[in-house]
Structures are given as structure tokens and as C-alpha cells.
Amino acid sequence: MTAMQWLILIVAVVILAPLVPWALRKLDFARQVRGKRPERKPTGRERPDVPGKAPNAEAESLALEAKMKSVQNVMGPH
């Protein structure tokens, strides 16, 4: 293969590589909507909130405090 063919091949792979997973997700979603495939539920770390579990107020408070301090470090003291 010549250098130009390699260049075209690499550019095509770089452009098409993100499109393949997108097309597969779209096809999978369409199959789930039509009922040909059971609905997939998020599990483990994909699940943002677990229902029935109360949020931890102390953890939220500490996270907010840390966020405010980081903004002060960026913006400077008043």
C-alpha cells in the first residue's frame, strides 16, 4: 500500500470508529422499543440513585463546602 492509501485508511477509521457504537446503541434501542429485546436496566455504577435509600445530608454538605472552597481558590479571596 502506498502512503496515500494508508492515510485514507487511517482517516476513514478515525471518522467511522465513533459512528459504529452509536449505530449499535441506536439499533439496540429500536429493538427494545419494538419489544424484540427486553428492556435493559442500569446496574451498579451506572445507576445514579438507589430508590428507597435516603440521601446522606452530611456528605452533601461536605461536598458543597469543598466546592465552595475550590471556587474561592480560583477566584481569589474577597
Side-chain angles (χ1 to χ4, degrees), residues 2-77:
T2 66
M4 187 59 131
Q5 290 172 332
W6 278 109
L7 180 64
I8 291 171
L9 178 67
I10 290 172
V11 169
V13 167
V14 167
I15 291 173
L16 294 177
L19 296 178
V20 171
W22 172 80
L24 290 175
R25 281 193 307 270
K26 189 170 183 165
L27 182 63
D28 184 50
F29 175 76
R31 287 181 180 163
Q32 287 179 32
V33 169
R34 283 186 259 138
K36 294 184 177 182
R37 180 171 287 200
E39 180 182 353
R40 296 186 187 191
K41 307 258 187 212
T43 58
R45 64 183 179 156
E46 299 170 357
R47 194 169 226 179
D49 293 326
V50 178
K53 189 174 183 183
N56 189 347
E58 184 179 358
E60 289 179 11
S61 174
L62 291 173
L64 183 60
E65 183 180 343
K67 185 177 179 180
M68 288 173 28
K69 285 183 180 179
S70 70
V71 171
Q72 287 177 353
N73 288 339
V74 171
M75 306 281 280

